[in-house]
Amino acid sequence: MKFVRPNFDNSIVSVSATIADFLGCSDLPNVKKQKLLQKYLSKNYKNVIYMCLDGLGIYPLKQNLTKEAYLRQHVAKTITSVFPSTTTNATTALQCATYPSKHAMFGWCLYFEELEQVVAVYAGENEYTKEKVDMSKIADKIKIDPYINRANTDYQLNSIMPSYCAKTTGENYRYKTANEMFSMLNEVCSKEGKQFIYCYNDQPDGTMHEYGVTSDKAKEKINYLNNKIEEFMKNNEDTLLIITPDHGHTDIDEYIEIY
């Protein structure tokens, strides 16, 4: 596959900047907005959901779903991720609507001079010993500032994320299984008033890391998500569901360990 450079006028950062603008967030970065997404957001839906399906880029989507599948039928636009296109780097860009050069969360684990340790930042632990790290000592180095914290909107704010994720502004829902995630989505969408939901699922990324993009297990996981999303949308009228991955995946033949 050819090397793809980020197009920051047509990327996950521009999607997040468009949603942040829609929510009336202050101190927005100077990022070009997505006109197509602005058009959808202008239709005054009762429920607006931004769902990140980790790793489900256009390549694994086409490899594992038929053209008739719900998600394939509803691809509105193909965009790029950021570089490096890793989960920590890309999901931080999604949540903050900022470039990696601003938030600096380039990878799952980073070396901090202050601690003389390699830290798995999201887990808050030493990458090798798995011992918990005093994250307060490096708080000034971690520049995670979710735009949802600065929202000024008549939408009620909600986040639906895995149980290991930290709490954010608004109503927080934390799930252990994908079934629980969809139950929570249905619950929030049935509440009175306008609801905005940020929803994150760490699949199919976890499955593809272990078994590969074209594996039977990846196909099973992606088809499951496709079918659950189709069912959810049939049962929730007046709902705009925006789905992007944080990055894509491709199978590799070999790798080089770097120490």
Side-chain angles (χ1 to χ4, degrees):
M1 297 182 72
K2 69 176 183 178
F3 183 77
V4 178
R5 294 179 181 273
N7 175 359
F8 286 116
D9 289 339
N10 187 41
S11 72
I12 59 172
V13 182
S14 57
V15 168
S16 287
T18 306
I19 294 173
D21 182 56
F22 167 73
L23 293 175
C25 299
S26 59
D27 301 323
L28 283 178
N30 184 24
V31 179
K32 190 173 182 178
K33 310 301 186 295
Q34 289 275 356
K35 290 183 178 179
L36 179 61
L37 182 52
Q38 286 178 320
K39 179 181 175 182
Y40 283 114
L41 288 167
S42 69
K43 295 182 180 180
N44 198 33
Y45 287 91
K46 175 189 176 295
N47 304 309
V48 175
I49 304 166
Y50 183 25
M51 178 184 291
C52 174
L53 296 178
D54 200 316
L56 190 56
I58 195 69
Y59 179 69
L61 199 71
K62 289 181 176 179
Q63 288 294 311
N64 291 287
L65 294 178
T66 66
K67 290 182 179 179
E68 294 73 33
Y70 188 82
L71 289 178
R72 289 284 302 275
Q73 288 288 313
H74 289 83
V75 173
K77 195 172 187 179
T78 302
I79 60 176
T80 66
S81 184
V82 293
F83 183 84
S85 49
T86 66
T87 291
T88 306
N89 191 36
T91 55
T92 305
L94 278 177
Q95 292 179 45
C96 302
T98 54
Y99 302 123
S101 56
K102 170 86 170 174
H103 66 66
M105 298 285 284
F106 301 126
W108 179 258
C109 48
L110 303 169
Y111 177 76
F112 289 92
E113 256 186 312
E114 296 83 354
L115 302 172
E116 295 186 341
Q117 295 185 64
V118 177
V119 179
V121 184
Y122 274 10
E125 63 186 24
N126 183 294
E127 173 65 9
Y128 302 109
T129 67
K130 305 307 178 186
E131 295 175 355
K132 285 296 179 183
V133 168
D134 183 358
M135 299 296 284
S136 66
K137 293 182 178 179
I138 53 173
D140 62 326
K141 304 291 183 184
I142 300 173
K143 302 171 184 177
I144 300 178
D145 182 22
Y147 61 76
I148 199 170
N149 292 343
R150 306 189 304 280
N152 180 17
T153 178
D154 56 350
Y155 278 83
Q156 296 179 48
L157 304 176
N158 307 271
S159 66
I160 300 177
M161 302 171 77
S163 55
Y164 57 80
C165 291
K167 292 185 177 181
T168 55
T169 294
E171 290 292 321
N172 289 272
Y173 298 81
R174 297 295 179 263
Y175 63 87
K176 293 183 178 179
T177 67
N179 275 331
E180 286 183 9
M181 183 190 85
F182 284 103
S183 294
M184 290 173 179
L185 281 166
N186 281 308
E187 178 186 339
V188 176
C189 286
S190 65
K191 289 165 63 175
E192 289 188 15
K194 297 164 75 173
Q195 306 294 328
F196 174 82
I197 305 167
Y198 175 78
C199 180
Y200 169 78
N201 192 297
D202 55 14
Q203 292 292 342
D205 180 79
T207 300
M208 293 192 295
H209 270 301
E210 189 167 358
Y211 299 102
V213 174
T214 56
S215 65
D216 289 342
K217 288 185 181 295
K219 185 178 292 292
E220 179 183 350
K221 184 70 68 175
I222 292 168
N223 275 271
Y224 166 80
L225 289 167
N226 174 80
N227 296 339
K228 291 293 286 185
I229 288 167
E230 182 175 14
E231 178 188 350
F232 169 78
M233 289 304 291
K234 284 179 179 177
N235 295 326
N236 289 277
E237 297 180 356
D238 203 9
T239 297
L240 175 63
L241 174 58
I242 307 154
I243 302 175
T244 72
D246 48 347
H247 58 76
H249 264 258
T250 183
D251 288 334
I252 58 171
D253 297 316
E254 59 183 340
Y255 66 94
I256 301 169
E257 291 186 357
I258 299 175
Y259 295 95

Tab-separated table of all heavy atoms in Angstrom, residues 148-168:
chain	number	residue	atom	x	y	z
A	148	ILE	N	-15.067	19.210	24.557
A	148	ILE	CA	-16.396	19.097	25.156
A	148	ILE	C	-16.455	19.807	26.509
A	148	ILE	O	-17.515	20.238	26.959
A	148	ILE	CB	-16.807	17.610	25.290
A	148	ILE	CG1	-18.328	17.486	25.455
A	148	ILE	CG2	-16.069	16.929	26.427
A	148	ILE	CD1	-18.836	16.062	25.345
A	149	ASN	N	-15.286	19.969	27.162
A	149	ASN	CA	-15.240	20.680	28.445
A	149	ASN	C	-15.534	22.170	28.290
A	149	ASN	O	-15.814	22.856	29.268
A	149	ASN	CB	-13.866	20.507	29.103
A	149	ASN	CG	-13.612	19.080	29.558
A	149	ASN	OD1	-14.546	18.286	29.681
A	149	ASN	ND2	-12.363	18.744	29.803
A	150	ARG	N	-15.460	22.682	27.056
A	150	ARG	CA	-15.666	24.111	26.816
A	150	ARG	C	-16.930	24.360	25.992
A	150	ARG	O	-17.080	25.422	25.389
A	150	ARG	CB	-14.447	24.707	26.100
A	150	ARG	CG	-13.127	24.452	26.810
A	150	ARG	CD	-11.993	25.245	26.198
A	150	ARG	NE	-11.822	25.014	24.778
A	150	ARG	CZ	-11.183	23.955	24.257
A	150	ARG	NH1	-10.672	23.037	25.058
A	150	ARG	NH2	-11.066	23.824	22.952
A	151	ALA	N	-17.841	23.389	25.980
A	151	ALA	CA	-19.051	23.502	25.165
A	151	ALA	C	-20.024	24.529	25.738
A	151	ALA	O	-20.123	24.706	26.956
A	151	ALA	CB	-19.736	22.143	25.054
A	152	ASN	N	-20.733	25.191	24.839
A	152	ASN	CA	-21.781	26.140	25.221
A	152	ASN	C	-22.965	25.869	24.284
A	152	ASN	O	-23.062	26.439	23.206
A	152	ASN	CB	-21.280	27.572	25.090
A	152	ASN	CG	-22.331	28.592	25.485
A	152	ASN	OD1	-23.319	28.256	26.149
A	152	ASN	ND2	-22.147	29.833	25.066
A	153	THR	N	-23.851	24.964	24.716
A	153	THR	CA	-24.870	24.443	23.822
A	153	THR	C	-26.140	24.070	24.591
A	153	THR	O	-26.095	23.893	25.814
A	153	THR	CB	-24.327	23.190	23.095
A	153	THR	OG1	-25.334	22.643	22.259
A	153	THR	CG2	-23.876	22.119	24.085
A	154	ASP	N	-27.254	23.947	23.855
A	154	ASP	CA	-28.488	23.487	24.482
A	154	ASP	C	-28.601	21.967	24.445
A	154	ASP	O	-29.584	21.399	24.911
A	154	ASP	CB	-29.715	24.128	23.816
A	154	ASP	CG	-29.780	23.878	22.324
A	154	ASP	OD1	-28.801	23.372	21.756
A	154	ASP	OD2	-30.831	24.189	21.724
A	155	TYR	N	-27.585	21.303	23.891
A	155	TYR	CA	-27.543	19.840	23.952
A	155	TYR	C	-27.001	19.394	25.311
A	155	TYR	O	-26.031	19.969	25.811
A	155	TYR	CB	-26.637	19.276	22.855
A	155	TYR	CG	-27.291	19.165	21.499
A	155	TYR	CD1	-27.356	20.269	20.647
A	155	TYR	CD2	-27.845	17.961	21.068
A	155	TYR	CE1	-27.963	20.178	19.400
A	155	TYR	CE2	-28.451	17.865	19.823
A	155	TYR	CZ	-28.512	18.969	18.998
A	155	TYR	OH	-29.115	18.866	17.780
A	156	GLN	N	-27.621	18.365	25.890
A	156	GLN	CA	-27.056	17.740	27.077
A	156	GLN	C	-25.855	16.898	26.637
A	156	GLN	O	-25.919	16.190	25.638
A	156	GLN	CB	-28.100	16.863	27.772
A	156	GLN	CG	-29.298	17.648	28.306
A	156	GLN	CD	-30.323	16.740	28.973
A	156	GLN	OE1	-29.976	15.898	29.790
A	156	GLN	NE2	-31.590	16.923	28.622
A	157	LEU	N	-24.774	16.965	27.398
A	157	LEU	CA	-23.520	16.310	27.018
A	157	LEU	C	-23.381	14.957	27.707
A	157	LEU	O	-23.596	14.842	28.916
A	157	LEU	CB	-22.333	17.197	27.384
A	157	LEU	CG	-22.356	18.609	26.792
A	157	LEU	CD1	-21.173	19.412	27.315
A	157	LEU	CD2	-22.342	18.564	25.266
A	158	ASN	N	-23.013	13.943	26.932
A	158	ASN	CA	-22.849	12.588	27.452
A	158	ASN	C	-21.613	11.938	26.837
A	158	ASN	O	-21.267	12.223	25.689
A	158	ASN	CB	-24.060	11.711	27.082
A	158	ASN	CG	-25.384	12.324	27.487
A	158	ASN	OD1	-25.871	12.119	28.590
A	158	ASN	ND2	-25.994	13.090	26.574
A	159	SER	N	-20.967	11.061	27.603
A	159	SER	CA	-19.887	10.246	27.035
A	159	SER	C	-20.159	8.789	27.376
A	159	SER	O	-20.540	8.459	28.503
A	159	SER	CB	-18.523	10.668	27.577
A	159	SER	OG	-18.417	10.415	28.957
A	160	ILE	N	-19.995	7.916	26.381
A	160	ILE	CA	-20.172	6.471	26.556
A	160	ILE	C	-18.872	5.815	26.118
A	160	ILE	O	-18.525	5.809	24.939
A	160	ILE	CB	-21.364	5.944	25.731
A	160	ILE	CG1	-22.655	6.634	26.177
A	160	ILE	CG2	-21.486	4.430	25.861
A	160	ILE	CD1	-23.888	6.224	25.370
A	161	MET	N	-18.148	5.265	27.092
A	161	MET	CA	-16.791	4.785	26.819
A	161	MET	C	-16.505	3.533	27.636
A	161	MET	O	-17.247	3.214	28.575
A	161	MET	CB	-15.782	5.898	27.142
A	161	MET	CG	-16.029	7.187	26.355
A	161	MET	SD	-15.032	8.584	26.898
A	161	MET	CE	-13.462	8.173	26.178
A	162	PRO	N	-15.439	2.797	27.314
A	162	PRO	CA	-15.075	1.612	28.104
A	162	PRO	C	-14.838	1.956	29.563
A	162	PRO	O	-14.518	3.099	29.907
A	162	PRO	CB	-13.787	1.128	27.427
A	162	PRO	CG	-13.867	1.644	26.036
A	162	PRO	CD	-14.553	2.977	26.136
A	163	SER	N	-14.971	0.956	30.419
A	163	SER	CA	-14.907	1.165	31.866
A	163	SER	C	-13.573	1.721	32.329
A	163	SER	O	-13.493	2.360	33.384
A	163	SER	CB	-15.188	-0.154	32.596
A	163	SER	OG	-14.301	-1.168	32.157
A	164	TYR	N	-12.495	1.513	31.561
A	164	TYR	CA	-11.170	1.975	31.985
A	164	TYR	C	-10.912	3.450	31.650
A	164	TYR	O	-9.888	4.003	32.033
A	164	TYR	CB	-10.069	1.109	31.364
A	164	TYR	CG	-10.086	1.047	29.854
A	164	TYR	CD1	-9.546	2.066	29.079
A	164	TYR	CD2	-10.634	-0.047	29.199
A	164	TYR	CE1	-9.569	2.002	27.700
A	164	TYR	CE2	-10.651	-0.125	27.809
A	164	TYR	CZ	-10.117	0.900	27.067
A	164	TYR	OH	-10.143	0.827	25.697
A	165	CYS	N	-11.831	4.101	30.935
A	165	CYS	CA	-11.622	5.490	30.509
A	165	CYS	C	-11.983	6.482	31.607
A	165	CYS	O	-12.929	6.264	32.380
A	165	CYS	CB	-12.444	5.790	29.263
A	165	CYS	SG	-11.865	4.923	27.794
A	166	ALA	N	-11.257	7.586	31.665
A	166	ALA	CA	-11.506	8.621	32.659
A	166	ALA	C	-12.816	9.345	32.372
A	166	ALA	O	-13.314	9.341	31.246
A	166	ALA	CB	-10.352	9.620	32.665
A	167	LYS	N	-13.375	9.976	33.400
A	167	LYS	CA	-14.629	10.712	33.242
A	167	LYS	C	-14.379	12.044	32.548
A	167	LYS	O	-13.299	12.609	32.616
A	167	LYS	CB	-15.291	10.929	34.605
A	167	LYS	CG	-15.807	9.645	35.238
A	167	LYS	CD	-16.553	9.913	36.522
A	167	LYS	CE	-17.133	8.625	37.093
A	167	LYS	NZ	-17.894	8.864	38.342
A	168	THR	N	-15.432	12.525	31.868
A	168	THR	CA	-15.351	13.799	31.171
A	168	THR	C	-16.515	14.681	31.624
A	168	THR	O	-17.281	14.318	32.515
A	168	THR	CB	-15.421	13.596	29.649
A	168	THR	OG1	-16.614	12.866	29.341
A	168	THR	CG2	-14.226	12.813	29.151
